[in-house]
Every structure is written in C-alpha cells, then in structure tokens.
Amino acid sequence: MHFLKRRKLQPAIQVQTLDGNTIPFALTFRNGEIHINPNKMNKGTYFLMIQDGQEKKSKMITID
C-alpha cells in the first residue's frame, strides 16, 4: 500500500510582500548561512518564510 505512505516535504523558502504575494528573489548559501542578494530585488519590506515539514518560521526583512 504505497499510496498511504507520507511524502516527506522538501524545505521551502519564499519571500512574500506584506500583502501575501510571493515574489522571485536571489539566494546564496555560504558557510551554512542564507544570503539574499538585495541588488536583484526592489526596495521595501518583505516576509522571509521558511517551511520545513510542519514547522513554519517567518521573519520580516527590509531591502534598502
């Protein structure tokens, strides 16, 4: 009964505007850290959403 197995969800990283729209962004991973490239994004305030299975974290970020 393979159709009853739970699929493991891959971690998801999204950047959303304050009104909830998902936008494209540029990430770089260095030494276990996530770096967002602000040169490829419009200036403003965004939510960085990280979801790992059932756990979901968000943080507000500002691009100057």
Side-chain angles (χ1 to χ4, degrees), residues 8-12 51-53:
K8 289 190 173 187
L9 299 175
Q10 295 295 321
Q51 184 173 358
D52 186 10

Side-chain angles (χ1 to χ4, degrees), residues 37-48:
N37 186 349
N39 298 329
K40 295 189 177 186
M41 295 179 66
N42 293 331
K43 295 182 186 309
T45 302
Y46 302 97
F47 282 110
L48 175 65

